[in-house]
């Protein structure tokens, strides 16, 4: 009878171990060390996220059972990300690093967390959501503050500015604008116009033309994203009612922005570090899956890009 009870207990323990592995437990690697399954889901496959993916794919992954990088959808529809989350869980992911499209994916992430999967957010935060082990990304408010300080220095505390906002309601993009505005409140630089670009280059052309019609004497233009600045440069090639020394400052420091800065058609931008962001997210997700303590927020930094250092940013860092 005692032997039967011992066998039953052993069977139950084995069943629980299998259940833990299927629902996000960390499988053991060679030598008994923890080797968690980690997958990455990005927002879409554009130049920025492709650079992040390249950095992740090139990094050493000792001690990680890597499930790969997925970049489903167009960055606007949430369903491809939801499907990708569910697929990663089905494949036995112990941790998922994700650049979420928005709060629409939270229910899918909640289901993953309930099954023991650790979630690390990349690039885009989900304010108010408590399920993440960590957020890895740019401190966008700090980046916006750097942009505001640069604009203030260049204009010597006086003048006018028009603002190309990103996608209204997206916290990261709003923070980039708020950082600038917080600085300008302490100066005599006045915001004369603000228009949304949805971070789209073609929309940037349209907004720049609208600024040209309404505010041709503006001293500076700031964009919360990189693509609209490139659109602004296009617009100036077609028709340029602005001052020759117009200050044109962006955010992202896309490689084409860096080239424009070197060419003199753009003044400056604020660089992010997508490769560092991605690799840090993978190592943090693996650590969280192993049960290690991880930082709740990790800022991967920003840098002001001007002619002095633009050459370094002609490829993503």
């Amino acid at each position: 009878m005692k032997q039967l009870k011992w066998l039953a207990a052993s069977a139950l323990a084995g069943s629980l171990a299998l259940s833990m592995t299927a629902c996000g437990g960390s499988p053991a690697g060679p030598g008994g060390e923890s080797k968690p399954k980690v997958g990455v889901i990005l927002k879409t496959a554009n130049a920025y996220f492709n650079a992040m993916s390249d950095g992740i794919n090139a990094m050493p992954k000792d001690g990680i059972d890597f499930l790969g990088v997925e970049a489903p959808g167009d960055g606007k529809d949430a369903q491809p990300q939801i499907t990708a989350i569910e697929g990663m869980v089905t494949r036995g992911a112990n941790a998922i690093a994700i650049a979420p499209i928005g709060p629409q994916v939270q229910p899918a992430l909640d289901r993953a967390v309930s099954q023991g999967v650790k979630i690390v957010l990349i690039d885009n935060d989900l304010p108010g959501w408590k399920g993440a082990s960590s957020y890895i990304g740019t401190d966008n408010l700090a980046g916006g503050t750097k942009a505001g300080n640069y604009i203030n220095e260049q204009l010597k505390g006086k003048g006018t500015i028009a603002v190309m906002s990103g996608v209204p309601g997206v916290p990261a993009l709003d923070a980039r604008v708020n950082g600038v505005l917080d600085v300008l409140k302490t100066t005599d630089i006045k915001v004369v116009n603000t228009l949304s670009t949805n971070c789209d280059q073609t929309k940037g052309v349209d907004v720049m033309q609208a600024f040209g019609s309404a505010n041709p004497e503006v001293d500076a233009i700031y964009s919360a994203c990189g693509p609209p600045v490139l659109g602004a440069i296009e617009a100036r090639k077609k028709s340029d009612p602005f001052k020759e020394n117009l200050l044109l400052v962006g955010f992202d420091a896309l490689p084409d922005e860096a080239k424009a800065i070197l060419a003199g058609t753009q003044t400056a931008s604020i660089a992010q570090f997508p490769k560092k962001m991605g690799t840090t997210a993978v190592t943090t997700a693996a650590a969280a899956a192993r049960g290690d303590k991880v930082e709740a927020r990790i800022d991967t930094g920003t840098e002001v890009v001007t002619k002095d250092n633009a050459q370094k940013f002609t490829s993503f860092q």
Side-chain angles (χ1 to χ4, degrees), residues 22 93 132 153 206 248 283 312:
E153 289 167 8
D206 297 338
L248 186 57
T283 56
K312 180 176 82 170

Side-chain angles (χ1 to χ4, degrees), residues 252-270:
D252 284 331
L254 304 173
D256 283 346
E257 282 188 86
K259 293 170 187 174
I261 290 168
L262 290 170
T265 53
Q266 182 174 334
T267 314
S269 190
I270 304 298

